[in-house]
Structures are given as structure tokens and as C-alpha cells.
Amino acid sequence: MKYSINTLQHRLVFYVVIGLFVFSTFAGVLTYYYAYQNQIEISNDIQNQLIRAIQSQAEVAAFAVNEEIGSEIINGLLTSPLINGVKIESTDVFQMEEGKKHDIDFKQGVIYPLYSPVDKNEQIGSIIVVKNNSHIRQEATKVSITFTILMISHLFAATLLIIWASKRIISKPVEDLAQSVVAIKPGSNQNLTINPIHDRDEIGLLSRSINYLIESAENAITETIIA
């Protein structure tokens, strides 16, 4: 039997491939969404840990109006790929800011209050941190692409298995049945031999139906001849 898109086997494979493609696309988009949310949570946790580690030094810098300490804190925080900009400001109009990119909007940053080293109830300023959202998106994209490629490879293997199974279980038995029907000579009273493997499945049912039709046709011919 020549391969054609009209064969049952290739129709089955075609629809399966389309379904798997749609599913993998949907899964890739969903994976990116969850990966992005997960990267944001990771970024927040790391950022909070970094701020806790330097908070006491930042409070000293703001309290003593020490630009040298403030500069060291900012440069240290900017070594993290998760942070795009840092700003330290105090109530005494002391202010330092620096970012990896120009024109950073610190209004979009997270504000951490700074308190006086001698009175923890007195807020003397704040440190503002702006996330590097592009880095978060890149990491989420890497995760989603890796997952999608892995899924597509599995789906490709599954498609090959479906092609092999459909040929062995569906296409080949139907092709053999068709050839057996064509080989039957009119008037020979010959019936199809049903393979025990297909005794209880659709191939066996189809074979018995064909035998019934052959017997009915032979009986009709015999009755016509007698008449």
C-alpha cells in the first residue's frame, strides 16, 4: 500500500502531531509564566538577604553622611545580576545613587527603611533597590526553552511509537484483510480466515461481517441459478 495522507495511519499521525504541537506550545507558555513567577520570588529572597547583610552599614553611612561607605555598599549590591540600580538617601538630604543603566526609575524600586544606629525607632533614611527585570525574563526564558525542547523530544519519540503501533495494529491488519478479500474468487465458497489474535477485536468483527456478506452473495447467486 502506498503511503498517502488519505490513509488511516497517516491521518492518525497527522492529528496526533497537531495535538502534540498545540499541547507543547501551551505547556511552553505555561512553563514560562510559572518560571517567571518563580524567578521573581527567588530574586526577592536574594535581594532581601543582601539588604539584611548590608543594612547596618547603610544605616551608618546615612547617619554619618559617609559617601565612601555608601559607595562601597552600592557597588557591592550592583555586582548582583538581579539588581539594576541602588539608591541611598537620608532625611538630611544626603543622597547617593548608581545603576547599571542610565535613567533608572527609582520610583519602581523596593524601599527598605534605614534607622538610626543609636535609636532603632528613628528612621533616618532609606535604601531603594531596582530589580533587573531583563535578567529575570532571561532566566525564565531559559527554563521554559529547556523544558519545551525536552518535551518536544519526548513527544517526537512518542510520535514515532504511535506511527509504529498504528502500522502494526491498524494499517497492516486492514491491508492484509483487503488483500485477502481481493484474492477470493467468485463462486469458490471461500471464507476469510480469521487470525486468533483478532478474534475479539474490530478486525475480527469486520472479517466475520465480510464472510457473512460473501455467504449471502453466494446463496443469492445459487438461488438465482436454480430459479
mmCIF file of all heavy atoms in Angstrom, residues 142-172:
data_model
loop_
_atom_site.group_PDB
_atom_site.id
_atom_site.type_symbol
_atom_site.label_atom_id
_atom_site.label_comp_id
_atom_site.label_asym_id
_atom_site.label_seq_id
_atom_site.Cartn_x
_atom_site.Cartn_y
_atom_site.Cartn_z
ATOM 1 N N LYS A 142 15.106 30.826 29.605
ATOM 2 C CA LYS A 142 15.992 29.657 29.538
ATOM 3 C C LYS A 142 15.300 28.417 30.090
ATOM 4 O O LYS A 142 15.372 27.334 29.497
ATOM 5 C CB LYS A 142 17.272 29.933 30.328
ATOM 6 C CG LYS A 142 18.209 30.941 29.698
ATOM 7 C CD LYS A 142 19.432 31.167 30.570
ATOM 8 C CE LYS A 142 20.354 32.218 29.993
ATOM 9 N NZ LYS A 142 21.532 32.471 30.865
ATOM 10 N N VAL A 143 14.624 28.585 31.219
ATOM 11 C CA VAL A 143 13.936 27.441 31.833
ATOM 12 C C VAL A 143 12.838 26.922 30.917
ATOM 13 O O VAL A 143 12.711 25.708 30.695
ATOM 14 C CB VAL A 143 13.342 27.844 33.200
ATOM 15 C CG1 VAL A 143 12.463 26.722 33.755
ATOM 16 C CG2 VAL A 143 14.459 28.164 34.189
ATOM 17 N N SER A 144 12.029 27.846 30.365
ATOM 18 C CA SER A 144 10.903 27.424 29.523
ATOM 19 C C SER A 144 11.392 26.781 28.230
ATOM 20 O O SER A 144 10.816 25.796 27.758
ATOM 21 C CB SER A 144 9.995 28.617 29.210
ATOM 22 O OG SER A 144 10.695 29.614 28.500
ATOM 23 N N ILE A 145 12.479 27.328 27.633
ATOM 24 C CA ILE A 145 13.011 26.747 26.396
ATOM 25 C C ILE A 145 13.565 25.346 26.657
ATOM 26 O O ILE A 145 13.327 24.416 25.870
ATOM 27 C CB ILE A 145 14.101 27.663 25.803
ATOM 28 C CG1 ILE A 145 13.473 28.936 25.240
ATOM 29 C CG2 ILE A 145 14.874 26.933 24.703
ATOM 30 C CD1 ILE A 145 14.483 29.930 24.705
ATOM 31 N N THR A 146 14.306 25.199 27.749
ATOM 32 C CA THR A 146 14.848 23.881 28.092
ATOM 33 C C THR A 146 13.730 22.868 28.292
ATOM 34 O O THR A 146 13.796 21.733 27.782
ATOM 35 C CB THR A 146 15.697 23.975 29.375
ATOM 36 O OG1 THR A 146 16.756 24.907 29.178
ATOM 37 C CG2 THR A 146 16.279 22.609 29.731
ATOM 38 N N PHE A 147 12.691 23.274 29.028
ATOM 39 C CA PHE A 147 11.567 22.371 29.273
ATOM 40 C C PHE A 147 10.853 22.031 27.978
ATOM 41 O O PHE A 147 10.478 20.867 27.744
ATOM 42 C CB PHE A 147 10.592 23.023 30.257
ATOM 43 C CG PHE A 147 9.368 22.200 30.542
ATOM 44 C CD1 PHE A 147 9.396 21.171 31.469
ATOM 45 C CD2 PHE A 147 8.175 22.461 29.881
ATOM 46 C CE1 PHE A 147 8.269 20.414 31.720
ATOM 47 C CE2 PHE A 147 7.039 21.711 30.124
ATOM 48 C CZ PHE A 147 7.088 20.684 31.054
ATOM 49 N N THR A 148 10.650 23.044 27.102
ATOM 50 C CA THR A 148 9.935 22.818 25.844
ATOM 51 C C THR A 148 10.713 21.888 24.929
ATOM 52 O O THR A 148 10.132 20.997 24.299
ATOM 53 C CB THR A 148 9.668 24.160 25.135
ATOM 54 O OG1 THR A 148 8.909 25.022 26.003
ATOM 55 C CG2 THR A 148 8.877 23.936 23.856
ATOM 56 N N ILE A 149 12.038 22.088 24.834
ATOM 57 C CA ILE A 149 12.860 21.208 23.999
ATOM 58 C C ILE A 149 12.804 19.766 24.514
ATOM 59 O O ILE A 149 12.687 18.812 23.736
ATOM 60 C CB ILE A 149 14.314 21.711 23.965
ATOM 61 C CG1 ILE A 149 14.400 23.032 23.196
ATOM 62 C CG2 ILE A 149 15.233 20.668 23.333
ATOM 63 C CD1 ILE A 149 15.775 23.653 23.199
ATOM 64 N N LEU A 150 12.875 19.624 25.834
ATOM 65 C CA LEU A 150 12.798 18.294 26.424
ATOM 66 C C LEU A 150 11.444 17.650 26.128
ATOM 67 O O LEU A 150 11.367 16.466 25.765
ATOM 68 C CB LEU A 150 13.011 18.388 27.935
ATOM 69 C CG LEU A 150 13.048 17.065 28.714
ATOM 70 C CD1 LEU A 150 14.198 16.197 28.241
ATOM 71 C CD2 LEU A 150 13.152 17.326 30.206
ATOM 72 N N MET A 151 10.376 18.456 26.229
ATOM 73 C CA MET A 151 9.044 17.922 25.955
ATOM 74 C C MET A 151 8.893 17.540 24.487
ATOM 75 O O MET A 151 8.337 16.477 24.157
ATOM 76 C CB MET A 151 7.984 18.957 26.338
ATOM 77 C CG MET A 151 6.564 18.549 25.974
ATOM 78 S SD MET A 151 5.339 19.712 26.583
ATOM 79 C CE MET A 151 5.447 19.365 28.346
ATOM 80 N N ILE A 152 9.393 18.393 23.578
ATOM 81 C CA ILE A 152 9.279 18.102 22.147
ATOM 82 C C ILE A 152 10.033 16.825 21.801
ATOM 83 O O ILE A 152 9.566 16.018 20.983
ATOM 84 C CB ILE A 152 9.806 19.288 21.322
ATOM 85 C CG1 ILE A 152 8.834 20.475 21.429
ATOM 86 C CG2 ILE A 152 9.979 18.902 19.858
ATOM 87 C CD1 ILE A 152 9.322 21.728 20.725
ATOM 88 N N SER A 153 11.208 16.618 22.404
ATOM 89 C CA SER A 153 11.959 15.388 22.136
ATOM 90 C C SER A 153 11.185 14.158 22.597
ATOM 91 O O SER A 153 11.160 13.132 21.909
ATOM 92 C CB SER A 153 13.330 15.451 22.821
ATOM 93 O OG SER A 153 13.192 15.511 24.231
ATOM 94 N N HIS A 154 10.529 14.280 23.766
ATOM 95 C CA HIS A 154 9.705 13.167 24.244
ATOM 96 C C HIS A 154 8.502 12.939 23.337
ATOM 97 O O HIS A 154 8.133 11.795 23.038
ATOM 98 C CB HIS A 154 9.236 13.449 25.670
ATOM 99 C CG HIS A 154 10.329 13.364 26.688
ATOM 100 N ND1 HIS A 154 10.192 13.800 27.985
ATOM 101 C CD2 HIS A 154 11.600 12.895 26.602
ATOM 102 C CE1 HIS A 154 11.308 13.589 28.652
ATOM 103 N NE2 HIS A 154 12.181 13.041 27.836
ATOM 104 N N LEU A 155 7.887 14.041 22.890
ATOM 105 C CA LEU A 155 6.724 13.921 22.010
ATOM 106 C C LEU A 155 7.116 13.348 20.654
ATOM 107 O O LEU A 155 6.347 12.599 20.048
ATOM 108 C CB LEU A 155 6.065 15.291 21.828
ATOM 109 C CG LEU A 155 5.453 15.914 23.093
ATOM 110 C CD1 LEU A 155 4.825 17.259 22.778
ATOM 111 C CD2 LEU A 155 4.412 14.992 23.697
ATOM 112 N N PHE A 156 8.320 13.696 20.177
ATOM 113 C CA PHE A 156 8.792 13.137 18.917
ATOM 114 C C PHE A 156 8.965 11.629 19.034
ATOM 115 O O PHE A 156 8.580 10.867 18.133
ATOM 116 C CB PHE A 156 10.113 13.792 18.526
ATOM 117 C CG PHE A 156 10.697 13.267 17.246
ATOM 118 C CD1 PHE A 156 10.150 13.614 16.023
ATOM 119 C CD2 PHE A 156 11.799 12.426 17.268
ATOM 120 C CE1 PHE A 156 10.684 13.121 14.841
ATOM 121 C CE2 PHE A 156 12.345 11.932 16.105
ATOM 122 C CZ PHE A 156 11.787 12.284 14.885
ATOM 123 N N ALA A 157 9.541 11.193 20.156
ATOM 124 C CA ALA A 157 9.697 9.754 20.392
ATOM 125 C C ALA A 157 8.334 9.080 20.494
ATOM 126 O O ALA A 157 8.132 7.979 19.962
ATOM 127 C CB ALA A 157 10.508 9.512 21.669
ATOM 128 N N ALA A 158 7.386 9.768 21.155
ATOM 129 C CA ALA A 158 6.038 9.209 21.275
ATOM 130 C C ALA A 158 5.360 9.115 19.907
ATOM 131 O O ALA A 158 4.634 8.158 19.619
ATOM 132 C CB ALA A 158 5.193 10.070 22.215
ATOM 133 N N THR A 159 5.608 10.116 19.040
ATOM 134 C CA THR A 159 5.026 10.097 17.691
ATOM 135 C C THR A 159 5.562 8.925 16.883
ATOM 136 O O THR A 159 4.809 8.249 16.167
ATOM 137 C CB THR A 159 5.327 11.415 16.969
ATOM 138 O OG1 THR A 159 4.781 12.506 17.725
ATOM 139 C CG2 THR A 159 4.712 11.424 15.579
ATOM 140 N N LEU A 160 6.873 8.679 16.982
ATOM 141 C CA LEU A 160 7.453 7.529 16.278
ATOM 142 C C LEU A 160 6.843 6.226 16.780
ATOM 143 O O LEU A 160 6.575 5.305 15.981
ATOM 144 C CB LEU A 160 8.973 7.509 16.476
ATOM 145 C CG LEU A 160 9.761 8.657 15.847
ATOM 146 C CD1 LEU A 160 11.246 8.511 16.153
ATOM 147 C CD2 LEU A 160 9.529 8.699 14.341
ATOM 148 N N LEU A 161 6.611 6.150 18.093
ATOM 149 C CA LEU A 161 5.995 4.951 18.651
ATOM 150 C C LEU A 161 4.566 4.794 18.150
ATOM 151 O O LEU A 161 4.126 3.675 17.829
ATOM 152 C CB LEU A 161 6.001 5.031 20.183
ATOM 153 C CG LEU A 161 5.362 3.861 20.937
ATOM 154 C CD1 LEU A 161 6.101 2.571 20.610
ATOM 155 C CD2 LEU A 161 5.374 4.121 22.435
ATOM 156 N N ILE A 162 3.852 5.913 18.033
ATOM 157 C CA ILE A 162 2.476 5.866 17.524
ATOM 158 C C ILE A 162 2.460 5.425 16.063
ATOM 159 O O ILE A 162 1.597 4.635 15.650
ATOM 160 C CB ILE A 162 1.808 7.245 17.693
ATOM 161 C CG1 ILE A 162 1.565 7.529 19.181
ATOM 162 C CG2 ILE A 162 0.489 7.304 16.923
ATOM 163 C CD1 ILE A 162 1.068 8.925 19.462
ATOM 164 N N ILE A 163 3.414 5.925 15.270
ATOM 165 C CA ILE A 163 3.489 5.514 13.865
ATOM 166 C C ILE A 163 3.719 4.011 13.761
ATOM 167 O O ILE A 163 3.057 3.311 12.980
ATOM 168 C CB ILE A 163 4.627 6.280 13.154
ATOM 169 C CG1 ILE A 163 4.282 7.776 13.069
ATOM 170 C CG2 ILE A 163 4.866 5.713 11.757
ATOM 171 C CD1 ILE A 163 5.412 8.621 12.516
ATOM 172 N N TRP A 164 4.659 3.515 14.562
ATOM 173 C CA TRP A 164 4.949 2.074 14.530
ATOM 174 C C TRP A 164 3.752 1.267 15.003
ATOM 175 O O TRP A 164 3.376 0.261 14.377
ATOM 176 C CB TRP A 164 6.158 1.790 15.419
ATOM 177 C CG TRP A 164 6.480 0.328 15.535
ATOM 178 C CD1 TRP A 164 7.188 -0.440 14.663
ATOM 179 C CD2 TRP A 164 6.057 -0.557 16.587
ATOM 180 N NE1 TRP A 164 7.256 -1.739 15.091
ATOM 181 C CE2 TRP A 164 6.561 -1.845 16.278
ATOM 182 C CE3 TRP A 164 5.311 -0.388 17.734
ATOM 183 C CZ2 TRP A 164 6.343 -2.940 17.087
ATOM 184 C CZ3 TRP A 164 5.096 -1.476 18.556
ATOM 185 C CH2 TRP A 164 5.600 -2.739 18.235
ATOM 186 N N ALA A 165 3.120 1.700 16.093
ATOM 187 C CA ALA A 165 1.973 0.962 16.639
ATOM 188 C C ALA A 165 0.779 0.996 15.698
ATOM 189 O O ALA A 165 0.087 -0.013 15.518
ATOM 190 C CB ALA A 165 1.593 1.542 18.008
ATOM 191 N N SER A 166 0.524 2.164 15.095
ATOM 192 C CA SER A 166 -0.631 2.262 14.202
ATOM 193 C C SER A 166 -0.444 1.385 12.963
ATOM 194 O O SER A 166 -1.404 0.791 12.464
ATOM 195 C CB SER A 166 -0.845 3.722 13.785
ATOM 196 O OG SER A 166 0.250 4.205 13.033
ATOM 197 N N LYS A 167 0.797 1.309 12.484
ATOM 198 C CA LYS A 167 1.056 0.452 11.323
ATOM 199 C C LYS A 167 0.890 -1.024 11.678
ATOM 200 O O LYS A 167 0.307 -1.791 10.916
ATOM 201 C CB LYS A 167 2.472 0.705 10.798
ATOM 202 C CG LYS A 167 2.814 -0.128 9.562
ATOM 203 C CD LYS A 167 4.176 0.253 9.021
ATOM 204 C CE LYS A 167 4.518 -0.593 7.806
ATOM 205 N NZ LYS A 167 3.557 -0.435 6.699
ATOM 206 N N ARG A 168 1.384 -1.396 12.854
ATOM 207 C CA ARG A 168 1.340 -2.806 13.260
ATOM 208 C C ARG A 168 -0.061 -3.239 13.690
ATOM 209 O O ARG A 168 -0.495 -4.354 13.386
ATOM 210 C CB ARG A 168 2.329 -3.031 14.407
ATOM 211 C CG ARG A 168 2.397 -4.473 14.887
ATOM 212 C CD ARG A 168 3.436 -4.619 15.966
ATOM 213 N NE ARG A 168 3.485 -5.984 16.467
ATOM 214 C CZ ARG A 168 4.199 -6.968 15.906
ATOM 215 N NH1 ARG A 168 4.913 -6.721 14.822
ATOM 216 N NH2 ARG A 168 4.210 -8.179 16.410
ATOM 217 N N ILE A 169 -0.769 -2.340 14.389
ATOM 218 C CA ILE A 169 -2.051 -2.716 14.983
ATOM 219 C C ILE A 169 -3.226 -2.405 14.068
ATOM 220 O O ILE A 169 -4.232 -3.127 14.078
ATOM 221 C CB ILE A 169 -2.234 -2.001 16.337
ATOM 222 C CG1 ILE A 169 -1.130 -2.422 17.303
ATOM 223 C CG2 ILE A 169 -3.592 -2.299 16.944
ATOM 224 C CD1 ILE A 169 -1.137 -1.665 18.609
ATOM 225 N N ILE A 170 -3.111 -1.348 13.237
ATOM 226 C CA ILE A 170 -4.256 -0.929 12.429
ATOM 227 C C ILE A 170 -4.002 -1.122 10.940
ATOM 228 O O ILE A 170 -4.712 -1.873 10.267
ATOM 229 C CB ILE A 170 -4.597 0.556 12.732
ATOM 230 C CG1 ILE A 170 -4.939 0.738 14.203
ATOM 231 C CG2 ILE A 170 -5.771 1.013 11.867
ATOM 232 C CD1 ILE A 170 -5.167 2.179 14.602
ATOM 233 N N SER A 171 -2.993 -0.427 10.420
ATOM 234 C CA SER A 171 -2.798 -0.386 8.963
ATOM 235 C C SER A 171 -2.492 -1.765 8.374
ATOM 236 O O SER A 171 -3.099 -2.169 7.376
ATOM 237 C CB SER A 171 -1.663 0.584 8.618
ATOM 238 O OG SER A 171 -1.983 1.884 9.059
ATOM 239 N N LYS A 172 -1.543 -2.490 8.975
ATOM 240 C CA LYS A 172 -1.139 -3.793 8.413
ATOM 241 C C LYS A 172 -2.284 -4.804 8.433
ATOM 242 O O LYS A 172 -2.538 -5.472 7.413
ATOM 243 C CB LYS A 172 0.061 -4.325 9.195
ATOM 244 C CG LYS A 172 0.733 -5.550 8.568
ATOM 245 C CD LYS A 172 1.270 -5.217 7.193
ATOM 246 C CE LYS A 172 2.144 -6.326 6.647
ATOM 247 N NZ LYS A 172 1.421 -7.608 6.468
#
